[in-house]
Amino acid sequence: MRVLFIGDIVGKSGRNALTEHLPFLKEKYGYDLLILNGENAAHGKGITSKIYNSFVELGADCVTLGNHAFAKDNIYTFIDRADRLIRPYNMSPMNVGRSVKILKHEGKKIGVFNIYGNAFMENYTLTPFESMDLLMQENPCDIRVVDFHGETTGEKYAFLHGYYDKASLIVGTHTHVQTADEQIYNGCRFICDVGMTGAYDSVLGRDSEEVVETNRTGIRTRYQVSRNPGMLSAVWVDIDLETGRAVGIERIQLLP
Ligand code: FE2
């Protein structure tokens, strides 16, 4: 079974890059399951029902979120009905939406979990370890895939060493910068950060002129997303359905 995981889709540039490249990715990699991180999809912060529906129409089996999950008020009107949308388990508010999507493939149950780092993050509740233990108890499945939405490499590596025997794939998201450390560690596929799908000529998807000015003056400005042409960042991973363990991982970056 091949999983394609596409990293943080930022604004219109990211959405356009996704739409443009997905047919090529499908043809070249022939993935079975498609997972997207959509937490920056609506003008850099959050996701709307319209954008979520467009991802489902493109074939997304699961859309994960992160620290901006609740940035758009619209989310509260549809998150409980959006059965392919998951939000970080250990982030407040805890009482809306779900944090696990169970996918089925050739008789196997594949659980996709959304977990939130604590290091340099806001509004977290439990630790990632407490979260993973609870999610595993509450959601029995054959194969586990984790979107670990966090800031630091150290925290993501600690999680890998805590759960390589429980998870088949751990993908880091949030930093928007793809790391070159994709690996198979004792049968678990891992990359510290898959990187973003958003404007290539930008600061992490944001308008670079604005961010430079903010850094120069220390004065906060309105959050502007870059409209420059988008790049796409992803990993594909092969999972042996019998053993649940690794047979391949490769990272992808498609530049404009
Ligand atoms: Fe994030």
Side-chain angles (χ1 to χ4, degrees), residues 8 37 39-40 65-68 116 121 149-150 173-176:
D8 312 32
N37 181 291
E39 79 126 358
N40 305 108
L65 294 172
N67 51 307
H68 296 306
Y116 192 47
M121 304 301 274
H149 198 78
T173 58
H174 177 67
T175 73
H176 294 197

Side-chain angles (χ1 to χ4, degrees), residues 196 198-203 205-208 226-231 256:
M196 74 161 177
Y200 179 63
D201 181 0
S202 73
V203 179
R206 287 182 67 180
D207 178 82
S208 55
S226 171
R227 291 296 183 99
N228 287 330
M231 62 189 285

